Amino acid sequence: NDGSWFFSMFTVCFVFFMNVVIMNLMTGVVIDHVMSFTAENEEAVQQRKQRIRRVSRRALESIFMQCDTDRTGCLDRTEFTWLLSDPAVQRKVALVDLSRQELAEQFDLLDTDGSGILSLAEMTEGVLQMKEPARHADILRANCSLTRVSMALNGAIDGGIRDFEESLGLLQDEGTTRAKTKTRTLPVRLPNSS
């Protein structure tokens, strides 16, 4: 009887342990399949995004060429406005998943060099980037750039104020010196006693 009790406990522990091992193996297999499916799905999503980006780029290039009426390779504000009023162009803009209103508001934003005209690269890259969600790194980069510009402007303003104050101080010192010099060099006239 003592041996059968030990054998029964050993069997129960062994079965319990084997069930845990088998469940862990099954969980591992399921997780492995899910992870490989997710990786394949992410790859398919990335390929789809790249395909959409290529199609959008071609549509934007076509729109650009159609609107560049003077064939300069750049769009000025007039051509850009025409772009928004042409129904054929509006259909192509809709293919890129932009509304006419969105695009109308973006000329100055797309004009990255501030020249008042859009190059093909400025328009295509700007619109494609505008359609992508902002990443944390993009927001951080923009924030850092704004901070640097703000610091540079503050430094320039402070330097300008210092220069102005120094100039003002020199002018005041110079004015005081001139006034003293003038009072010293003024001829003294004595009243005529005749």
Side-chain angles (χ1 to χ4, degrees):
N1 280 342
D2 288 336
S4 64
W5 178 83
F6 177 74
F7 183 70
S8 297
M9 285 304 285
F10 176 75
T11 305
V12 168
C13 289
F14 180 76
V15 169
F16 176 74
F17 178 73
M18 290 310 291
N19 280 336
V20 170
V21 168
I22 290 172
M23 290 303 289
N24 280 337
L25 285 173
M26 288 174 53
T27 303
V29 169
V30 168
I31 288 175
D32 184 52
H33 284 296
V34 168
M35 294 296 280
S36 64
F37 176 74
T38 302
E40 290 171 8
N41 193 29
E42 285 179 16
E43 186 176 316
V45 167
Q46 289 301 322
Q47 288 175 351
R48 183 174 179 270
K49 283 182 179 179
Q50 288 174 352
R51 191 171 48 253
I52 290 170
R53 190 171 172 90
R54 279 193 306 271
V55 169
S56 296
R57 181 181 302 279
R58 276 187 251 132
L60 287 167
E61 288 170 357
S62 172
I63 291 168
F64 186 91
M65 295 305 175
Q66 188 174 353
C67 295
D68 186 17
T69 55
D70 58 3
R71 301 291 178 234
T72 59
C74 296
L75 294 181
D76 59 19
R77 195 173 292 275
T78 305
E79 291 171 316
F80 191 75
T81 305
W82 178 81
L83 169 145
L84 301 174
S85 62
D86 182 26
V89 173
Q90 287 178 14
R91 284 191 294 279
K92 288 181 182 179
V93 168
L95 289 174
V96 185
D97 195 29
L98 280 175
S99 73
R100 178 180 172 188
Q101 183 64 28
E102 280 179 309
L103 203 53
E105 296 170 351
Q106 303 303 326
F107 183 87
D108 292 324
L109 184 63
L110 294 173
D111 183 19
T112 55
D113 63 0
S115 63
I117 56 174
L118 292 178
S119 68
L120 176 62
E122 283 178 322
M123 185 174 139
T124 55
E125 290 304 314
V127 170
L128 291 174
Q129 190 174 21
M130 187 171 55
K131 295 311 296 173
E132 293 179 2
R135 297 176 309 198
H136 294 295
D138 296 333
I139 295 169
L140 182 61
R141 188 176 306 115
N143 189 22
C144 288
S145 294
L146 286 174
T147 301
R148 280 191 218 109
V149 167
S150 175
M151 290 172 60
L153 285 174
N154 285 339
I157 290 169
D158 290 345
I161 290 172
R162 262 193 312 278
D163 291 346
F164 178 73
E165 288 173 343
E166 288 175 4
S167 297
L168 189 61
L170 288 175
L171 288 175
Q172 286 177 347
D173 290 346
E174 211 173 276
T176 307
T177 306
R178 283 184 188 165
K180 288 179 182 176
T181 307
K182 285 181 180 179
T183 56
R184 289 184 192 151
T185 58
L186 287 175
V188 177
R189 291 189 183 183
L190 297 173
N192 287 338
S193 49
S194 20

